[in-house]
Amino acid sequence: MPIAPDRLDKFTFQGEFHPLTDPEEIAVIHKKIGFVPPTPEEQSYITEQWRKRFDTEDDISTDRLRAEFVRKKALGQL
C-alpha cells in the first residue's frame, strides 16, 4: 500500500537544513537539556575501554563507562 505524499512530508525535512556550529549556541542547548560533554581525558578512557570490551561484553554502555571513569578518578586509580 503506497503512502500518500501529504503523509510523507511530516517525516522529511522541509526547507534548508543548516548544521549547528556556533559553540555558544551549542552550549545553550546542552545546558537546556542537561547534557554535559565529556572532557577529552574522559572521552579517551571511554573510547579505549569500549574498544577493549566490545568483543567480550554483550551490553557495553558508554554511560556505564563514564560512571566508571568518574569513580576510578575519584579513587585515584587513574
Side-chain angles (χ1 to χ4, degrees):
M1 171 196 270
I3 299 174
D6 61 324
R7 289 183 52 107
L8 279 175
D9 287 345
K10 68 180 182 178
F11 299 109
T12 59
F13 290 107
Q14 300 294 315
E16 293 292 318
F17 176 72
H18 299 286
L20 192 59
T21 57
D22 180 23
E24 290 178 8
E25 197 171 349
I26 292 171
V28 168
I29 292 170
H30 283 174
K31 185 174 182 175
K32 188 178 193 179
I33 64 172
F35 175 72
V36 179
T39 63
E41 180 185 15
E42 190 175 13
Q43 184 62 52
S44 67
Y45 176 84
I46 292 167
T47 302
E48 176 187 337
Q49 291 300 314
W50 191 88
R51 286 181 180 152
K52 283 181 182 178
R53 302 175 188 190
F54 177 73
D55 290 334
T56 58
E57 292 185 31
D58 292 334
D59 186 26
I60 189 73
S61 163
T62 55
D63 292 331
R64 189 175 55 116
L65 290 173
R66 190 172 190 183
E68 181 180 297
F69 172 83
V70 171
R71 183 177 51 79
K72 285 186 173 188
K73 186 80 169 177
L75 294 171
Q77 295 176 348
L78 294 177

